[in-house]
Amino acid sequence: MIALGLSCAVFALGLYGVLSRRDLIGVLVSVELMLGAGGILLAAAGAASGATSGAVQSIALMVLLLAAAEAAVGLSLLLALHRRSGRTRVDELSEVSG
Amino acid sequence: MSAQTAGLGVAIALVALGAVGAVLLREVMRVLISLGVFLFGVAAVYAYLGYPFLAVAQVFVYVGGVLVLMVFAVMTARRDRSERPAFVSRHDVGSAAIAAGTGAMLFLGLRPLFQDAGFARSSAVSDLAQELLGPRLLAFEAGGVLLLAALIAVAAALRGGEDR
Amino acid sequence: MTVVLASVVLPVVLAVGIALAGNRGIRVAQVLAVAGPGGALAAGMSLLASERASSAVAWRSAWLSQGGASLPLGFAGDALAAVMLVIVGVVAACVVVFSWGYMAHESGRPRYFAVLMLFVAAMSALVLADNLVTLFIGWELVGACSYLLIGFWYRKPEATRAAIKAFMTTRVGDVAMLLGMAVLWRAAQTLSLDGIVAALPKMPQATVTAAALLLFVGAAGKSAQFPLHIWLPDAMEGPTPVSALIHAATMVASGVFLVARAWPVFEASGVARATMLAVGVLTALYAALVALAQTDIKKMLAYSTISQLGFMFAALGAGAWGAAMFHLATHAAFKALLFLAAGSVIHGSGTQDMDEMGGLARAMPVTAAAWTAGALALSGWWPFAGFFSKDAVIAAVAAASPGASWILVFTSAVTALYVWSATFRVFLGASRSDHAAHESGRSMLAPLAVLALLSAVAGWAGPAFTERLGAPEEHAALATIAAAVAAVAAGTALAYALYRRAPERGASLPGGLQSAARSGFGVDAAVHALVVRPAVAFAQWVARVADEKVVDRAVEGSAALTGRVGGMLARLQTGEADVYASLVAVGFVLLTAVVVWMGGR
């Protein structure tokens, strides 16, 4: 129950960061927080349900891989964007507006 | 207060402090340090729950890889600015309410699943290699392919930037 | 047994093929089209030749199963169906061949022949049906084909108006027929004809009478009985071969066929039979009088058809369905012959108005001979077909109601008068038009010859015919026959006296009576005033009040509402990622709240 509370709180913080940060790196950092919250919840649920350690760890590892890949791609996009326009702020990037 | 409870307290404190700092601080380096603290905390929670390999992987991949990458990216992106790099945030009640509501709803929705068990320590011995190379081999390989794809995507994105 | 189904399937295949071949392939397709009626004819022949089983199932299935009930679909062949298939096959084949010449200069021939094939298929399905649902499907399909062919020249306003009138008028009868089917379904829990007959003894008398009367209204609509006859004269706007096939020989006779098919239901209800007798006699006399006053050759034949159908219904009302079917068969031959001969006359002289014809016997001798054979058969001169079948009808009616039979005898005289008047006016005397008439081509004359032969000899098949059908046979009383022959002779003599010397004189009735009769004694106008005008007024009221004030406002209002909501929603589309993210989160919160509140997982 403690782990659940912790994970939900961290997820909420991460979401708040995603919504309030105006800077792409800040948003990325917040997304990492949300992913970490998911990891905690996964580990806690695995421990609570009595699943084998191997199963839990391998699934969490997959999440870790995804997060790493996401961070790498996100950062490279950030760099490319910076080279192109010098802007890395979310509120300046509204080109997908309909 | 046993050593175990103390370890749990430390881990929770690391996670909470790091998370708050990463969201609320303004200066880039401090934010990244807070993120590092948070990731260490998550690793500690993993270790406490009985997943030592996961904890080590967390430290290696995140603290050693992602965090360094982020610092590097920040340095590259802001090297031409004279002022100290800082994040701009727009703190408002709406975002806070949405975030708090989401967290509360997650908690309420997931609570029934955690009703019977507490923050119990798993006693199972890790046999990760067997698991990864056995039933989850496909997922493991898929993860490798995903990382490769991410690498290619990074190269493509940066090249595209150079062209312009 | 399933080979009988070829009479349904083959014409459908041909219809699709002809439609696909289009204008380019029509010269070949119209020749192949003979195979459609040929299939029906072969199926009917094989049924007649097969062993005397009363009914053999060809195919059966169920449709729209709901709970314990389902609508039956199925075909079964028996002698009645075989007779109808033979009639349809022969007449349709003649009409197809006739159409090669008659329609040669028309555009839209693929449409014409495709619908003709569809009609043959629908008619075959109608006569082969072993339950009322399948029969009704065929019934509506022949109605649709009739509609399409009446409106064949759809650029002519009269043609489209006539097509709509035919469709709407028969619809009145069809609704009654549906109601009758509903009554039978409720009482017998089935619509299969065998099942209905089996359940008849257990039904209350009132139910049987209601079902029989409703089915009769349906039959009267299709067979143009008073007062639902008003569509048939207008239906003559269609091409003449179509009038011969659909509006004289087959489709309009399907009402008679329906009554014969469901005969046990009518046998069980004296009220329904009395009604049929009264309506049939009234229609026969009325239509014959109106036919006297017509100057349009096709309208004259149309009223004549109505009158002859009245004879058939009178026979049905008298309980002699065998005689009715016999008259149906001979009438199909000689009325198709008369229509095709009229088509040949119209083709050769370029007009439909008998006042503008005259002296055509010299220009078109073969057509004149064929027409004369048809006229002999229609008026009932020995030994032509009409003599036997009409006398069988009159004899049957005499056994049931002597008074009615005297009316029919009088109608016979009128029949002879109008058909011979027309004959003298069209073919004798001097030409009254400057149009040089010419004889039609061989493909148009050959069907005339076939039908003329049938009109001449078909009457002799009478006893064999009724025996094969298994219908009760009537023996004509000598006195009735004598009276009928005398009436025919009198009518013919009067026509001769009036027109032989002066074929160019116009109407055969005194002035006031002539104009009244020509317009059908005001029935059409009365129907228009009593039914059509109130219906149109009601429709206009609905359009003004219900449509504009309620429906339109609702539609326009909802459109405006959608536009406004859309405008509001569009403002959310800022293109900023964090707004989208918060919307996702809000959605998640709401959904989870619902799930948690419901207490489920």
Side-chain angles (χ1 to χ4, degrees), chain C residues 117-456:
Chain C
M117 288 300 108
L118 195 61
F119 172 81
V120 172
M123 198 68 205
S124 303
L126 194 165
V127 301
L128 284 172
D130 76 334
N131 60 73
L132 288 177
V133 178
T134 317
L135 193 147
F136 191 73
I137 292 172
W139 185 270
E140 290 298 326
L141 276 176
V142 292
C145 294
S146 153
Y147 166 78
L148 288 172
L149 287 172
I150 295 171
F152 178 73
W153 287 300
Y154 56 88
R155 288 185 215 285
K156 228 165 89 183
E158 298 88 34
T160 42
R161 215 175 299 134
I164 292 168
K165 186 172 178 185
F167 206 68
M168 298 300 282
T169 314
T170 49
R171 201 61 52 245
V172 174
D174 293 347
V175 169
M177 186 176 162
L178 265 182
L179 287 177
M181 284 164 64
V183 169
L184 285 173
W185 170 267
R186 198 175 154 71
Q189 299 301 318
T190 177
L191 285 173
S192 125
L193 284 159
D194 296 342
I196 290 171
V197 171
L200 268 180
K202 293 193 286 288
M203 285 187 211
Q205 186 59 39
T207 309
V208 178
T209 301
L213 282 176
L214 285 168
L215 286 183
F216 167 64
V217 173
K222 197 61 117 190
S223 288
Q225 293 301 288
F226 187 88
L228 295 177
H229 67 275
I230 49 174
W231 65 271
L232 191 56
D234 289 18
M236 297 303 133
E237 290 292 343
T240 308
V242 165
S243 306
L245 175 61
I246 300 183
H247 304 120
T250 54
M251 185 191 85
V252 289
S254 57
V256 179
F257 169 79
L258 170 69
V259 176
R261 176 58 100 194
W263 181 248
V265 178
F266 291 90
E267 196 172 28
S269 167
V271 178
R273 271 183 287 133
T275 313
M276 275 198 290
L277 181 60
V279 171
V281 170
L282 173 65
T283 309
L285 178 61
Y286 161 82
L289 288 176
V290 177
L292 265 183
Q294 300 304 313
T295 54
D296 182 318
I297 187 166
K298 285 184 72 182
K299 287 225 162 134
M300 190 271 288
L301 287 175
Y303 276 106
S304 162
T305 304
I306 297 171
S307 170
Q308 297 299 310
L309 288 166
F311 272 86
M312 294 175 214
F313 272 98
L316 290 171
W321 65 271
M325 285 304 293
F326 183 40
H327 195 51
L328 190 162
T330 57
H331 172 256
F334 65 70
K335 191 52 69 65
L337 169 63
L338 284 171
F339 261 109
L340 290 186
S344 179
V345 166
I346 295 166
H347 194 71
S349 69
T351 176
Q352 291 186 203
D353 194 340
M354 290 191 279
D355 286 342
E356 295 176 14
M357 297 174 183
L360 291 178
R362 276 187 303 278
M364 328 178 63
V366 183
T367 304
W371 172 280
T372 308
L376 283 168
L378 170 62
S379 52
W381 279 103
W382 189 87
F384 285 80
F387 170 80
F388 298 93
S389 59
K390 189 191 283 182
D391 283 3
V393 168
I394 292 177
V397 173
S401 155
S405 78
W406 286 114
I407 301 181
L408 287 186
V409 168
F410 175 67
T411 308
S412 292
V414 180
T415 306
L417 176 59
Y418 71 69
V419 73
W420 288 112
S421 308
T423 308
F424 297 141
R425 284 164 76 186
V426 170
F427 291 105
L428 298 183
S431 174
R432 292 185 290 277
S433 126
D434 41 6
H435 186 281
H438 61 87
E439 180 63 287
S440 303
R442 219 172 280 163
S443 73
M444 289 166 75
L445 296 179
L448 290 182
V450 171
L451 288 172
L453 184 69
L454 283 175
S455 304

Side-chain angles (χ1 to χ4, degrees), chain A residues 15 19 22 93-94 96-98, chain C residues 573-576 578 581-582 585:
Chain A
L15 182 60
L19 297 183
R22 301 286 90 189
L93 303 172
S94 57
V96 288
S97 170
Chain C
Q573 303 289 325
T574 55
E576 289 178 34
D578 55 338
S582 14

Side-chain angles (χ1 to χ4, degrees), chain B residues 95-129:
Chain B
S95 303
I98 289 170
T102 307
M105 280 304 157
L106 269 179
F107 185 76
L108 286 175
L110 292 173
R111 198 174 48 178
L113 301 175
F114 287 81
Q115 215 96 61
D116 41 353
F119 198 23
R121 221 190 116 111
S122 165
S123 58
V125 180
S126 163
D127 203 355
L128 186 59

